[in-house]
Amino acid sequence: MTRLDTLRGPAEPLDHNARTIAALAVNPGCDRRALLDAAGVDKQRTATHLGFPAPFGQSPFAITRAKSFDALVKANGCAHLLRLLRSTLDLSISEASYSDISDVGGNDDHQVRHTRTRALLKRAATDGDGAGTLFDHPLLKLTVAGHEVYLEPAVIAFQIEGRFHIVEIKSFAVIDDQADAGQVAAAARQSAVYVHALRALFTAEGLDPGRISHNVVLVCPKDFANHPTATLLDVRQQLAALERQLSRLTRIDRILDELPIGITFDLETQSPDEVGKAVATVGARFAPECLASCEMSLFCRAEARDRESTDVLGRAARDELGGIESIPAVLGLADDSRPPSPEQLEIAEQLRYVRRIYTEAVA
Amino acid sequence: MEASGIHGFPVGPLIRCGTVELDALEKRIAELRSEIRAAKAAGEHATVRSLRAELRKTERAWDVALEPEPEPAKAPLLPVREQVHQALTLLGVPTATKMIVTVNEAFFAGHIATSQLTSLRRDEEKSFRSSPFARPYYLCAALTSELLSPARGLLAVSTWPMPTRIIGPLSPRADFLTSATRIAEHIMRLTGAGEDASPSAYRLLTRMAQNIPGAVDGFDQADPTQVIAAAGAELAVHEESDASHRDEAARRAERQLNEVRQLFGAGLKTARTA
Amino acid sequence: MSIMSSYARALAVQNGRAQPVATVRHLHLSATPMVFIPLKLAGEAAAPLAALVGTDPANPRLLVVPQPRNRDLRFAFMAELAEVLLPYIEGLAGVTETVEAKTPYERCADAPQLLVPNRGGIAFTKLLGRSTRFRRTDGPYPVHPSVPVLGQWLTFLSERAEYAGSSALVSMTDALALHWATGQSSMEDANLATQLAWIAPPEGLDGPEAALVAEDPLTSPPAGPETHPDFDGQVLEYAIQAFETSGSAAQVREALRSQLEPTWTLMWQGVRLLRELPEAATVEARWARDRDQFTRETARLAEGGFPRGRVDGAVSAAIRLADLESALQAYEAQRAFDDPLVMIEHRVAGKAFSGEVVAVDATRRIVPAGKTRAAPRPLVTIRTSDPVRLSPGRRLVSSRNRKQRTEIVDITGDLVVIQVNDQMGRGATPAPGSVPEVGDVVCYAELDPSGGQRPRLPAGEDTPWTHGGPPEPYVPTDEDAQEAWS
């Protein structure tokens, strides 16, 4: 732990949320991301410090829209949500209780809210009927690389007949029963984080984590109106990916062992050049997909370009080129200026052939 | 804020308005009052009468200066707190600001911006603290049943019985059903009196009815009698359990909390939950 | 994505410039394409924000929705868009030609072509069509009469875009990627500005340098339909507020113009680059299909045809899938036969080969299976250095006669023997020129430019109960017409 603290420097470790944790599972092979996240380094600030600010952000219009839709679904004692749960999960009429844990008697301290979340959910899980149906803003905890982090609660936990579900409210539209695949996938990854955290809470309370369903209730606007509609989303696959990545983070020692002693990413004391060199000692696995989800992506892409790595061409292209790491190597094998290693014999032959007929056809 | 500054309201809000005009008017009011006292003491009744007339004029000018720019024509002359009271009285249960605004527009052709309500509860609390029960009613908090802390985002009326102002786990649903019933009843009262409710009133009722089993068919406009029947049927399911929670908590509140806290809650940070 | 295009990408990195992956243009390019750059409001399903549209590079028309959350302003925008698009579309429907066929028929001499920057533009066009085609000009939320008509046309165009080889609604980044491999990933090629930077970098810069410059949202705003979040927060939000307070849309217009004009320039640069390429042989035939469909849709709408329903019935969905599949197969094959660079992908995969004819047995006659009389079945032996991965019995098509059916008889070393099965005339020996001669360089491929057979599917009224039974024909409903668009 102390080594991770040294890496980060005196800055407070960054809080995680479902989005940041879900992003971990997108590129599980990347040591750099794993280490920076484990140490709670602010990647956004680091990337900016290095001169490569993250290439994405969120529009204020999208934020406003998300908030207002969330409010609509929960308005009037979750009237919309109850209608949806009654029709999709056959929730009985009598189950309509609602508890808000966004504060406890006006106190919104994380620890207080987490304790309350545990108490309410435990009671709901053990008392059976009438002990609670909807729990808004439950504050959950997750262990990330040995650190306990609180999860920003953007969901509702929901109990029906002893089984618990996560309700995720998203403002992207479902039009004629179809939604944007990328947004559904992102929602599934984030929901999986909550399912995982809720299971961890149950385990810690000595309850059966199997009572948390892998089916998440996804609530979205229907068609072009604001009218909410619900779908069940199976997040087993996302859970598996997440759990694998989280377990990698707990084995972060392997990455630490390979680092030079005394290295730090401290933005206060280190120049951009020094931080850049320090970050470069941890291997990254750049793929163009990172550009949509990782704050460090432009730095890593510049690095991959400097190395003339085939990674910059995309995963599919790299695979087509037999997984050869560098572009000069690809071209060298193709024009016979570089002798192939034994395992490159086959791809080298193909490349020589491609080069010959490509050159013919272009000429 | 502006509209709470009706005549006789404690000085607090004035200072925040802080315009030169208001300052001058207040100074004049104070002068007039002391002149009246002096004239009275001297027994100059005619002077007292004319000074009083001037005082009333100045106070009216003060009221006008404090009110926001009047909305053209349709805006009712009721101050915001009275508009809110009117909507809450129709609904009869603790209600979120957004619903208050909607009901006020649909039934009273009123217009309140949600932003005008953000500090209302806090101002009412201040007013109550400075002179308890000086007003016929206060817009106050609803209290959560377990901790008796102010429930987030809800407004209630101080004259309501304590159990009505308690929010237990089933109360959000029960209160939603009650407000749908009250709205339907109000529409029927209007039609019974030969008037009709506005299209936006029917839209509001229909939207609510869509979330109550059996209250409306498909995408039709809701029928008030059907809404009352359906909401009543579901309410019957929750009523007993909800009422027992509320009654128990209400007894506890009356036992444990002082007057201010009974109205505004036992929270640590009442200000931020307003 | 193939080893050929990946190799071309590697080469592009080395040369600092995009490399060709086609020698001819594989799509139709109208003499007057309609360039359409739509923008939407972030976070909303289909709230149009603005569009730059027109057929004249020097004279684009800017349409904006000064308050995108206002439904009336959105429909006003759609009516304005209809003012631009409907005369263009309907004007083209007026001129027809007679097609000589078994039963001659009339076909529009030209058809509309919409060019949008990227796939997001196509998806958004589809949503605009979906959100307007059911609208009515009377009833609770009436719209201008042109709006539902435009909705039907946008729906038609976005449906055509699903067919491989259609040029009715084209994404510019896809069109460019069909002809050039850049030194960036295919994901990054969805950015029109960086893609064009690699293909045609400005004076003094190489591809990667130009692409870096083009990544700056200040010089190259996103080509839509989403706008840049910083633009939304720093410019657009205030411009919309200004409209709310002043009622003047001037600020919103200027803000959005600044976001659209750079893309407008890029779109026409793309058009010029594509125009420089000679048109591929089969483009005209595919464009004729677009014209056929356009002619049909014109007639259907003239007869008061209903808008397309929200979802397909089981049989029409199956037919559609089969048609899409067949169009894709035909398109892949036609492109390969039209363009030696494209054929490389199939040669590398071993499904096609090229070589010199070394022997011909032109007089060979056999009794084909199932026949009683001997018929000419010449054998042609080709020497190839390609890595052929085909086996005897496989049916091939020749690049010199795409209708002639042939099959592999034998492969030994670098020699491939094929048998020619038809297209040799009615005589006892093959007609002159119908069979290759020794010394000819030929190319054979296991590709079917006719698109294969469509599976036999029941008629709509015979839909089996397992698939929901015969569908109710779609009739527009009040609910569809009054659907909220908030």
Side-chain angles (χ1 to χ4, degrees):
Chain A
M1 236 36 2
T2 49
R3 283 208 67 187
L4 288 176
D5 291 336
T6 317
L7 281 175
R8 189 182 62 248
E12 281 292 302
L14 206 65
D15 262 357
H16 281 278
N17 57 41
R19 201 169 39 78
T20 60
I21 290 173
L24 290 176
V26 174
N27 189 357
C30 183
D31 282 356
R32 182 174 295 165
R33 166 145 206 166
L35 185 69
L36 292 174
D37 279 334
V41 169
D42 186 336
K43 297 198 295 300
Q44 175 74 60
R45 278 189 60 212
T46 306
T48 308
H49 190 69
L50 294 170
F52 294 93
F56 44 79
Q58 232 193 334
S59 163
F61 300 115
I63 296 170
T64 310
R65 163 89 171 133
K67 276 191 189 153
S68 72
F69 183 68
D70 190 77
L72 173 79
V73 173
K74 294 178 181 173
N76 299 320
C78 289
H80 276 296
L81 186 57
L82 284 172
R83 166 178 59 81
L84 294 168
L85 294 174
R86 285 168 179 181
S87 62
T88 51
L89 288 170
D90 288 328
L91 182 69
S92 74
I93 296 288
S94 63
E95 292 174 274
S97 99
Y98 170 85
S99 312
D100 187 355
I101 325 177
S102 48
D103 59 63
V104 181
N107 185 344
D108 60 0
D109 176 74
H110 279 183
Q111 184 55 48
V112 173
R113 290 175 57 201
H114 180 65
T115 308
R116 172 108 177 126
T117 301
R118 289 177 82 121
L120 283 180
L121 290 175
K122 183 165 189 185
R123 193 167 72 192
T126 47
D127 284 9
D129 278 2
T133 303
L134 297 170
F135 304 90
D136 199 358
H137 305 109
L139 193 62
L140 301 173
K141 247 197 234 181
L142 200 61
T143 306
V144 177
H147 281 291
E148 293 216 309
V149 298
Y150 288 109
L151 274 182
E152 208 177 81
V155 290
I156 293 179
F158 156 63
Q159 191 235 157
I160 176 170
E161 287 167 1
R163 272 181 84 70
F164 289 75
H165 294 257
I166 288 292
V167 178
E168 178 106 54
I169 300 169
K170 290 283 173 192
S171 62
F172 58 81
V174 178
I175 295 168
D176 298 338
D177 299 325
Q178 290 185 335
D180 182 86
Q183 289 185 301
V184 175
R189 282 198 299 271
Q190 290 178 28
S191 301
V193 176
Y194 290 111
V195 172
H196 179 81
L198 200 51
R199 285 186 175 172
L201 183 148
F202 267 50
T203 309
E205 290 290 339
L207 298 162
D208 174 14
R211 290 175 67 181
I212 318 293
S213 172
H214 55 252
N215 284 324
V216 166
V217 182
L218 179 64
V219 179
C220 296
K222 182 173 159 52
D223 299 333
F224 303 108
N226 246 339
H227 201 63
T229 183
T231 330
L232 284 183
L233 200 60
D234 182 339
V235 301
R236 265 177 290 186
Q237 197 197 334
Q238 290 77 8
L239 266 175
L242 174 74
E243 276 157 15
R244 188 182 121 68
Q245 181 64 353
L246 288 177
S247 69
R248 268 179 54 85
L249 287 183
T250 60
R251 296 194 311 264
I252 213 81
D253 294 349
R254 177 189 59 78
I255 305 174
L256 283 171
D257 286 345
E258 291 167 11
L259 291 185
I261 301 295
I263 199 160
T264 176
F265 311 140
D266 181 4
L267 305 183
E268 307 303 322
T269 61
Q270 306 287 300
S271 70
D273 200 39
E274 287 164 327
V275 176
K277 280 187 182 135
V279 170
T281 58
V282 193
R285 196 170 143 199
F286 173 77
E289 286 75 12
C290 299
L291 294 169
S293 62
C294 183
E295 292 87 345
M296 296 295 292
S297 56
L298 286 179
F299 175 80
C300 300
R301 188 184 67 178
E303 189 185 47
R305 280 185 179 164
D306 285 346
R307 284 190 289 113
E308 301 182 288
S309 161
T310 46
D311 285 339
V312 299
L313 304 179
R315 280 178 185 152
R318 188 189 156 114
D319 291 348
E320 292 282 354
L321 297 171
I324 294 169
E325 286 207 0
S326 90
I327 291 169
V330 167
L331 298 173
L333 291 172
D335 68 12
D336 237 350
S337 64
R338 182 186 290 238
S341 64
E343 68 271 18
Q344 288 172 340
L345 282 173
E346 195 188 330
I347 184 70
E349 192 189 332
Q350 278 189 37
L351 283 170
R352 279 197 301 272
Y353 167 69
V354 168
R355 175 176 177 271
R356 178 171 62 77
I357 58 177
Y358 179 82
T359 313
E360 272 170 29
V362 171
Chain B
M1 170 71 42
E2 302 84 343
S4 340
I6 56 163
H7 183 60
F9 196 76
V11 184
L14 296 185
I15 297 161
R16 257 172 285 159
C17 280
T19 63
V20 179
E21 190 194 2
L22 281 173
D23 289 346
L25 285 170
E26 280 165 48
K27 196 165 157 236
R28 183 71 192 126
I29 290 171
E31 285 168 2
L32 284 168
R33 282 186 174 144
S34 68
E35 281 172 37
I36 291 170
R37 269 197 304 277
K40 259 180 159 173
E44 298 164 8
H45 299 292
T47 317
V48 169
R49 264 198 304 280
S50 76
L51 283 173
R52 276 201 173 136
E54 203 194 334
L55 176 64
R56 275 196 296 277
K57 220 173 85 192
T58 315
E59 283 174 333
R60 268 201 300 279
W62 184 89
D63 278 347
V64 169
L66 203 56
E67 288 288 344
E69 283 294 306
E71 293 271 308
K74 64 170 185 179
L77 294 170
L78 283 182
V80 166
R81 79 182 291 267
E82 285 179 38
Q83 293 189 51
V84 171
H85 180 245
Q86 188 171 254
L88 282 172
T89 305
L90 193 164
L91 292 162
V93 290
T95 305
T97 50
K98 197 169 175 198
M99 178 64 119
I100 292 173
V101 170
T102 313
V103 166
N104 186 42
E105 277 170 20
F107 289 99
F108 306 111
H111 186 79
I112 323 172
T114 326
S115 58
Q116 289 177 285
L117 302 182
T118 45
S119 58
L120 190 55
R121 205 162 85 187
R122 196 171 48 206
D123 295 338
E124 294 277 302
E125 182 174 347
K126 271 194 193 135
S127 161
F128 183 85
R129 280 177 187 275
S130 64
S131 48
F133 298 111
R135 295 173 155 194
Y137 65 83
Y138 291 85
L139 301 175
C140 62
L143 307 187
T144 60
S145 63
E146 247 177 284
L147 298 162
L148 303 178
S149 59
R152 261 187 185 227
L154 297 181
L155 281 174
V157 181
S158 59
T159 51
W160 288 347
M162 195 71 213
T164 307
R165 295 199 290 106
I166 296 284
I167 301 295
L170 284 166
S171 309
R173 183 66 186 173
D175 286 353
F176 166 68
L177 295 166
T178 304
S179 31
T181 308
R182 301 284 292 251
I183 285 170
E185 285 169 352
H186 193 74
I187 290 179
M188 289 179 72
R189 265 199 299 281
L190 289 173
T191 48
E195 300 171 45
D196 201 2
S198 65
S200 57
Y202 278 104
R203 269 202 299 279
L204 171 64
L205 183 71
T206 306
R207 274 208 308 276
M208 294 177 86
Q210 278 163 354
N211 288 325
I212 303 169
V216 67
D217 307 314
F219 284 79
D220 293 350
Q221 177 171 298
D223 165 26
T225 39
Q226 193 181 342
V227 175
I228 292 169
E234 188 182 334
L235 199 52
V237 177
H238 306 306
E239 216 160 24
E240 196 189 322
S241 164
D242 184 43
S244 77
H245 257 104
R246 288 181 138 168
D247 292 342
E248 180 278 322
R251 281 195 297 277
R252 201 154 26 92
E254 280 158 354
R255 213 169 44 239
Q256 295 175 355
L257 304 183
N258 64 25
E259 282 172 343
V260 180
R261 293 199 155 181
Q262 281 187 29
L263 290 183
F264 298 97
L268 296 167
K269 302 175 185 170
T270 48
R272 58 167 294 289
T273 51
Chain C
M1 189 67 55
S2 70
I3 185 170
M4 195 275 285
S5 61
S6 303
Y7 169 75
R9 280 186 192 276
L11 215 53
V13 172
Q14 189 191 47
N15 297 345
R17 203 181 175 101
Q19 299 294 301
V21 286
T23 58
V24 285
R25 171 162 40 82
H26 293 282
L27 75 153
H28 172 82
L29 205 50
S30 162
T32 52
M34 175 67 75
V35 169
F36 175 47
I37 311 171
L39 294 182
K40 67 183 272 255
L41 186 72
E44 303 285 330
L49 178 62
L52 206 55
V53 60
T55 53
D56 177 359
N59 190 19
R61 176 132 171 217
L62 173 70
L63 313 176
V64 307
V65 186
Q67 170 49 281
R69 296 188 201 282
N70 181 321
R71 165 200 183 95
D72 294 333
L73 293 177
R74 287 186 204 170
F75 282 120
F77 167 91
M78 292 308 290
E80 221 183 324
L81 183 60
E83 264 175 44
V84 183
L85 293 184
L86 291 185
Y88 170 72
I89 294 172
E90 286 163 0
L92 291 167
V95 188
T96 59
E97 61 187 19
T98 306
V99 180
E100 303 300 339
K102 273 181 208 152
T103 31
Y105 64 97
E106 290 294 301
R107 174 164 71 196
C108 294
D110 202 356
Q113 180 175 47
L114 239 65
L115 302 179
V116 295
N118 46 40
R119 287 186 194 180
I122 292 182
F124 190 54
T125 303
K126 184 177 175 180
L127 278 182
L128 287 179
R130 165 65 182 79
S131 61
T132 52
R133 68 177 185 257
F134 299 118
R135 295 287 153 184
R136 289 197 194 141
T137 53
D138 52 12
Y141 303 103
V143 296
H144 189 273
S146 62
V147 170
V149 181
L150 177 67
Q152 298 231 50
W153 279 118
L154 294 181
T155 302
F156 166 77
L157 290 168
S158 39
E159 297 243 309
R160 286 301 299 155
E162 290 175 31
Y163 286 84
S166 165
S167 297
L169 171 59
V170 175
S171 131
M172 183 55 79
T173 53
D174 280 352
L176 293 170
L178 206 53
H179 301 91
W180 284 278
T182 66
Q184 59 185 6
S185 64
S186 55
M187 198 187 110
E188 289 157 290
D189 280 347
N191 179 339
L192 181 61
T194 60
Q195 189 191 29
L196 274 169
W198 274 96
I199 297 171
E203 276 296 311
L205 293 181
D206 67 10
E209 287 164 351
L212 269 185
V213 174
E215 245 173 21
D216 180 353
L218 290 179
T219 36
S220 315
E226 279 88 17
T227 45
H228 197 278
D230 291 349
F231 167 76
D232 286 358
Q234 289 159 21
V235 182
L236 185 59
E237 208 175 11
Y238 300 102
I240 292 175
Q241 271 165 20
F243 167 76
E244 292 275 5
T245 49
S246 72
S248 156
Q251 224 175 309
V252 177
R253 289 184 69 85
E254 279 327 294
L256 290 166
R257 186 191 298 282
S258 75
Q259 295 300 292
L260 284 161
E261 272 178 347
T263 307
W264 179 262
T265 311
L266 294 174
M267 286 296 283
W268 289 101
Q269 187 193 354
V271 170
R272 277 196 305 280
L273 285 165
L274 289 168
R275 243 195 250 292
E276 283 166 17
L277 292 167
E279 188 176 274
T282 52
V283 165
E284 201 185 321
R286 286 198 299 273
W287 181 240
R289 291 200 65 160
D290 278 324
R291 289 190 288 135
D292 275 334
Q293 296 300 324
F294 173 57
T295 312
R296 278 202 208 180
E297 183 69 2
T298 304
R300 198 183 72 80
L301 291 182
E303 288 159 17
F306 286 146
R308 195 191 162 91
R310 290 168 181 235
V311 276
D312 279 341
V315 170
S316 51
I319 290 176
R320 206 174 126 68
L321 272 184
D323 281 352
L324 288 173
E325 180 60 32
S326 153
L328 181 63
Q329 269 189 37
Y331 175 61
E332 294 277 303
Q334 289 167 353
R335 259 190 339 125
F337 285 119
D338 282 354
D339 189 339
L341 252 183
V342 177
M343 187 58 91
I344 289 181
E345 298 195 2
H346 302 282
R347 289 168 65 189
V348 173
K351 286 181 72 184
F353 60 91
S354 172
E356 193 182 330
V357 176
V358 291
V360 178
D361 180 355
T363 56
R364 175 167 174 267
R365 292 169 66 87
I366 58 168
V367 182
K371 297 273 169 71
T372 48
R373 281 178 36 202
R377 288 292 183 270
L379 293 180
V380 179
T381 306
I382 303 136
R383 185 187 303 280
T384 178
S385 56
D386 288 351
V388 184
R389 282 188 201 91
L390 294 165
S391 49
R394 305 310 287 263
R395 302 191 177 272
L396 303 182
V397 172
S398 149
S399 58
R400 55 196 289 280
N401 180 355
R402 297 177 194 180
K403 287 181 182 156
Q404 190 168 58
R405 278 181 283 194
T406 64
E407 64 181 274
I408 296 188
V409 176
D410 183 57
I411 302 177
T412 312
D414 58 359
L415 294 179
V416 182
V417 182
I418 61 146
Q419 170 184 299
V420 181
N421 288 339
D422 61 6
Q423 301 271 319
M424 290 170 287
R426 298 184 164 273
T429 53
S434 64
V435 174
E437 290 170 19
V438 173
D440 283 358
V441 174
V442 292
C443 177
Y444 284 88
E446 194 186 27
L447 292 168
D448 185 356
S450 71
Q453 296 281 307
R454 181 206 274 182
R456 288 166 60 93
L457 290 163
E461 57 270 25
D462 298 328
T463 307
W465 64 269
T466 48
H467 292 69
E472 296 281 323
Y474 174 74
V475 178
T477 63
D478 286 350
E479 192 192 311
D480 283 346
Q482 293 160 20
E483 178 181 41
W485 191 19
S486 50

